[in-house]
Amino acid sequence: SGNPFGVNKTLNFLYSGEGISSYLAKIKVKAGGEFDYYLFIELFPKLFSKAKGYPELLLDKKNVISQINTNQYSYAKYRNGKLVDNLGKFNYSVELGNQYKFDGDGFCTTTFGKAYHVIYQSDKFTTIILSSPQKTMFNYITTFSYFFIISSLLILLVGYFLKISPFNWQLAMTDFSTKIQIFIIVSIFLSFILFGWATTYYIKKQNAEKNNALLAEKVQSVLIELEDKLGDRNKLEPKMYDELTYYLIKFSNVFYTDINLYSKEGRLLASSRPEVFDRGMTGTQMDAEAFNAIHSLKKTHFTQNERIGSLNYLSTYVPFRNDRNEILAYMNLPYFAKQDELDNELSSFYTALVNVYGLLFLITAIIAVFFANYISEPVRLIKDKISALQLGKSYDLLEWQSNDEIGALVIEYNKKVMELEKSAQLLVQSERESAWREMAKQVAHEIKNPLTPMKLSIQQLQRLANDNTEDLAERIDRTSKTLIEQIDTLTKIANEFSNFAKMPKANEQVVDLIPLLETAIDLYKEEGVAFQLRDNSRGDTTIVADKDQVSRVFTNLIKNAIQAIPEDRDGKIEITVGVNDSGVLLQVQDNGMGIPDDKKDKIFVPNFTTKSTGMGLGLAMVKNIVEQANGKIWFETKEQEGTTFFIQFERRAGSAPEISD
Ligand code: ADP
């Protein structure tokens, strides 16, 4: 191709199967005469081995196609169906089958051996395969892990700055369960950091130890070879440069390392890679510290980190002795640790770590949510129970199976609730006792009141009998009448009192209010009052209560209503039964005097009465009965116009708490 020499068509492109192409030029230098003379020039591209270290320094980086990442890709080159070159982890067959279908451009894509392959037929003889490992389940999980971590971080950040409660720790910390969650997740995160750091440290340390051991081994091997070849010399001098260089290059190829030899004065004698020194990349003088250690301090070996440009490497110096144990020179081996191998190892470790911890984070986050709820649930339960606790009403005990701290708390709580219940009962009892005492005093007073006039009347009769008064019979008759009246009052008081005393034991059953009301109305029919009973319920007017007690409630309300109506008024009592959401609502409305403001809050108090014959126990008893049946009683009143009493009965509201006395 072409003819750069302008003589003949003499420049030829040589194709070699191994991938190294060259040019051969043939130039006629002298024509004519007996012979033609030709000069042959073969031009090879300058090749450096793929080794690390000094060669890297010598490469012109701009022109080097960046090396393929053998972690990701492998390639193979076949010539005439036979494998000639391959690189990477994939295990290629030495012979290329012919089952591939190439398209017009000579490409074929396929999958085998857990890898994707692109096969390219570059010419009749040559086929190239580029392969990359197939994605496994693990890769997908990996992607998920990264996605999870990145999105969590984003949510956390956004949540923090927008001050959304679970993501802003200052706000979230007020919540017990969130606190637990945060602590669990933070500890996982800390363990992630700690574990990552410790393992990185360990991997690096191991790597350094491995490198030191390898270097020591190499130094030993090179030294033995060198002693074998040069052990009989008395002196090594600069004039032996060629010979020394020859040996060093030879050993360098065998042991796959560069070797430098320095004189006892610390000057470079020879090197397996003289270009480095020729180009002035590093000086020909031995490193000062190394020289000091080896030469002055007479150490058997000295190792340190050195650098040329951006290239870091480990460098070992040892003395070289001849057979008579005389030190002839100092040998130096630079060791280019495979930094990218370490980097690869570390990065795959980090990948695995992030994956494992990503999943761990997710699992722990889920567990933390459940665990925190599990922990705070009883606390919430106890809180609910405490707020539901009502003196005199509900004393619910808590149940907790396990014998842990919460269990102890629950036991303690239950103990206190039972104590509370007991003291509440005692309180009710003592209240009732003092009420009874009050009442007894009142009753005694009521009984004593008529006794004195009765005694006086009888004494007067006695006196009259002694004086033999003429109208004795008439007097006796009159006094007896008064006495009988007084005795009737006493009987009434005694009856009312005993009614009140009988009350507490309720005998609960389902009772229909309508027939009970009808009976109560019947009792007062003759009192000259117009009754009206209205049933607005359209159905169920039953409640659960003690029948006799409910009757007593009705007769009391009706009696009070009648008594409230002034003589000069046409009495009208309207009784209405209705049904609402919570049960049966009863209204007893009269057109009586009404209740004055200053009496309103006293009418349910035992002993309170505005009547000369009254005991003031009626409404107290009514209220007691209604409340025992889980009901409520209240009234509305307007002076001079009338009063309406309301009773709300809870429909079949379970059994009322039993009050023992
Ligand atoms: P008593 O009927 O023995 O006085 P109660 O406890 O039944 O005792 O009533 C207490 C007081 O409430 C009565 O004395 C009366 O002043 C007032 N009262 C009760 N019901 C009515 C009513 N329907 N209208 C006006 N006042 C009433």
Side-chain angles (χ1 to χ4, degrees):
S1 59
N3 193 348
F5 300 97
V7 189
N8 284 316
K9 190 186 173 189
T10 51
L11 186 65
N12 289 296
F13 179 69
L14 296 183
Y15 189 90
S16 119
E18 281 68 47
I20 301 159
S21 304
S22 55
Y23 289 93
L24 183 66
K26 180 184 173 190
I27 299 167
K28 197 184 243 174
V29 286
K30 193 180 163 215
E34 202 180 336
F35 301 105
D36 282 350
Y37 293 90
Y38 293 96
L39 173 68
F40 290 91
I41 305 172
E42 201 177 347
L43 295 168
F44 293 99
K46 185 164 183 177
L47 280 181
F48 291 104
S49 63
K50 287 167 192 157
K52 294 276 158 195
Y54 285 166
E56 253 181 292
L57 292 173
L58 301 170
L59 285 175
D60 185 355
K61 287 259 163 72
K62 266 183 287 178
N63 296 332
V64 177
I65 306 158
S66 59
Q67 278 196 320
I68 75 164
N69 178 353
T70 50
N71 257 338
Q72 280 272 28
Y73 297 101
S74 307
Y75 75 74
K77 190 164 157 190
Y78 290 88
R79 190 154 172 81
N80 292 323
K82 299 263 188 297
L83 184 74
V84 287
D85 191 15
N86 73 308
L87 190 78
K89 287 177 181 166
F90 190 79
N91 195 356
Y92 291 101
S93 158
V94 288
E95 277 185 27
L96 184 74
N98 46 10
Q99 71 270 36
Y100 307 111
K101 303 262 172 299
F102 295 95
D103 65 12
D105 295 328
F107 283 102
C108 165
T109 51
T110 176
T111 332
F112 57 83
K114 288 187 183 160
Y116 303 112
H117 309 272
V118 176
I119 308 176
Y120 174 57
Q121 210 156 27
S122 62
D123 58 45
K124 262 212 303 267
F125 317 105
T126 320
T127 312
I128 294 162
I129 305 185
L130 183 67
S131 317
S132 82
Q134 240 171 1
K135 287 225 183 319
T136 57
M137 200 53 206
F138 189 70
N139 291 84
Y140 293 111
I141 294 176
T142 310
T143 323
F144 168 74
S145 271
Y146 282 115
F147 179 72
F148 170 71
I149 288 172
I150 288 170
S151 48
S152 317
L153 283 178
L154 257 173
I155 292 175
L156 273 177
L157 277 179
V158 171
Y160 182 83
F161 286 112
L162 295 185
K163 294 206 189 298
I164 299 168
S165 112
F167 305 114
N168 185 305
W169 62 269
Q170 282 156 324
L171 296 176
M173 277 307 191
T174 53
D175 189 342
F176 180 55
S177 52
T178 323
K179 263 185 224 173
I180 296 176
Q181 287 162 20
I182 289 178
F183 281 132
I184 291 176
I185 288 173
V186 164
S187 37
I188 288 285
F189 189 71
L190 285 184
S191 91
F192 166 71
I193 303 261
L194 204 71
F195 185 70
W197 175 79
T199 315
T200 307
Y201 172 79
Y202 181 73
I203 290 177
K204 280 191 172 162
K205 198 178 132 191
Q206 270 223 320
N207 199 64
E209 273 169 14
K210 192 182 80 189
N211 286 340
N212 276 330
L214 270 174
L215 182 56
E217 215 170 89
K218 245 176 213 182
V219 166
Q220 210 49 44
S221 313
V222 175
L223 213 53
I224 287 169
E225 284 298 319
L226 217 56
E227 274 167 7
D228 184 51
K229 293 282 186 280
L230 304 169
D232 54 345
R233 309 294 165 91
N234 291 325
K235 233 178 163 183
L236 294 180
E237 290 169 318
K239 65 179 183 208
M240 297 158 74
Y241 176 82
D242 286 337
E243 187 195 3
L244 292 177
T245 306
Y246 167 76
Y247 284 132
L248 291 188
I249 290 178
K250 200 172 139 189
F251 297 149
S252 146
N253 288 333
V254 175
F255 296 106
Y256 209 62
T257 175
D258 287 309
I259 310 165
N260 302 321
L261 215 54
Y262 293 95
S263 72
K264 279 176 77 180
E265 292 74 40
R267 290 201 164 276
L268 185 77
L269 281 174
S271 167
S272 64
R273 190 78 61 174
E275 302 97 312
V276 176
F277 298 93
D278 293 347
R279 293 191 188 183
M281 285 171 173
T282 183
T284 52
Q285 203 78 31
M286 191 166 146
D287 181 88
E289 249 171 81
F291 186 73
N292 182 45
I294 292 287
H295 184 83
S296 314
L297 303 175
K298 311 265 181 250
K299 293 264 162 71
T300 53
H301 63 90
F302 178 77
T303 305
Q304 68 175 4
N305 280 309
E306 287 177 11
R307 71 160 42 218
I308 298 176
S310 62
L311 192 69
N312 272 308
Y313 57 93
L314 211 57
S315 191
T316 282
Y317 296 82
V318 288
F320 168 66
R321 292 165 222 269
N322 66 5
D323 298 344
R324 288 179 300 285
N325 210 20
E326 294 162 347
I327 294 178
L328 298 188
Y330 303 121
M331 191 180 79
N332 164 234
L333 252 69
Y335 179 80
F336 298 90
K338 298 195 176 95
Q339 185 62 38
D340 56 346
E341 250 174 44
L342 176 65
D343 290 346
N344 271 339
E345 201 173 324
L346 281 177
S347 85
S348 62
F349 165 71
Y350 291 138
T351 315
L353 192 70
V354 166
N355 284 323
V356 170
Y357 269 86
L359 274 179
L360 206 62
F361 264 129
L362 184 66
I363 295 169
T364 349
I366 294 171
I367 291 178
V369 168
F370 281 109
F371 180 69
N373 284 343
Y374 170 75
I375 288 284
S376 52
E377 176 60 30
V379 179
R380 230 182 333 246
L381 200 78
I382 292 174
K383 189 211 122 219
D384 287 349
K385 286 278 180 179
I386 290 177
S387 53
L389 196 66
Q390 250 182 347
L391 264 188
K393 281 241 170 101
S394 70
Y395 299 96
D396 278 353
L397 296 187
L398 289 172
E399 263 178 57
W400 191 252
Q401 302 300 346
S402 42
N403 218 351
D404 46 19
E405 286 87 342
I406 301 282
L409 180 66
V410 165
I411 289 173
E412 219 38 54
Y413 169 83
N414 285 347
K415 222 155 70 186
K416 286 282 174 280
V417 164
M418 285 191 288
E419 276 172 22
L420 190 66
E421 190 177 2
K422 212 182 245 164
S423 44
Q425 275 174 6
L426 284 177
L427 188 68
V428 167
Q429 202 165 332
S430 80
E431 261 178 5
R432 194 174 297 144
E433 273 165 12
S434 72
W436 277 115
R437 247 196 306 278
E438 265 310 296
M439 193 105 61
K441 253 198 248 164
Q442 181 72 18
V443 171
H445 185 70
E446 297 281 334
I447 291 175
K448 236 160 72 193
N449 273 351
L451 285 182
T452 317
M454 281 164 84
K455 193 176 159 192
L456 286 175
S457 305
I458 292 172
Q459 278 171 347
Q460 199 181 13
L461 269 189
Q462 265 177 343
R463 231 179 5 253
L464 289 173
N466 288 344
D467 297 351
N468 265 328
T469 321
E470 318 146 24
D471 57 347
L472 186 64
E474 192 200 337
R475 284 289 187 99
I476 287 177
D477 190 45
R478 224 171 45 216
T479 310
S480 306
K481 231 179 184 167
T482 329
L483 281 179
I484 286 168
E485 246 171 52
Q486 304 273 24
I487 288 168
D488 278 349
T489 312
L490 286 180
T491 315
K492 210 168 134 204
I493 291 172
N495 275 344
E496 261 190 70
F497 190 62
S498 89
N499 266 348
F500 187 79
K502 254 191 261 160
M503 203 196 44
K505 268 280 172 245
N507 174 22
E508 293 191 324
Q509 64 201 97
V510 178
V511 283
D512 193 347
L513 297 181
I514 301 290
L516 285 187
L517 283 167
E518 282 166 349
T519 330
I521 292 168
D522 270 352
L523 275 179
Y524 293 95
K525 251 194 181 137
E526 311 302 322
E527 302 279 338
V529 179
F531 283 99
Q532 196 179 8
L533 176 60
R534 264 194 279 173
D535 180 3
N536 287 347
S537 67
R538 265 177 266 127
D540 195 2
T541 51
T542 57
I543 60 161
V544 174
D546 183 309
K547 195 173 165 187
D548 293 341
Q549 291 185 353
V550 177
S551 294
R552 231 181 288 160
V553 167
F554 296 160
T555 49
N556 259 291
L557 290 180
I558 293 170
K559 188 194 78 192
N560 278 346
I562 293 171
Q563 287 172 351
I565 298 167
E567 299 277 328
D568 55 341
R569 207 178 277 183
D570 285 342
K572 225 165 68 192
I573 296 175
E574 210 175 282
I575 300 172
T576 315
V577 184
V579 172
N580 56 14
D581 285 348
S582 42
V584 182
L585 179 68
L586 183 84
Q587 300 177 33
V588 180
Q589 186 177 14
D590 63 55
N591 59 345
M593 301 288 291
I595 304 168
D597 278 353
D598 58 329
K599 310 257 155 62
K600 273 184 187 166
D601 52 348
K602 292 199 194 107
I603 62 161
F604 290 112
V605 174
N607 294 334
F608 177 79
T609 182
T610 55
K611 302 161 194 165
S612 54
T613 53
M615 270 285 289
L617 290 177
L619 283 181
M621 183 181 70
V622 165
K623 185 171 169 160
N624 212 335
I625 291 171
V626 170
E627 281 177 358
Q628 266 198 64
N630 263 337
K632 260 184 240 144
I633 180 166
W634 69 100
F635 62 89
E636 285 168 5
T637 184
K638 214 162 190 188
E639 261 186 274
Q640 300 306 328
E641 284 181 25
T643 309
T644 309
F645 275 86
F646 297 85
I647 299 179
Q648 172 74 55
F649 286 109
E650 303 282 319
R651 190 197 300 281
R652 311 189 181 207
S655 61
E658 216 181 296
I659 295 184
S660 54
D661 49 357

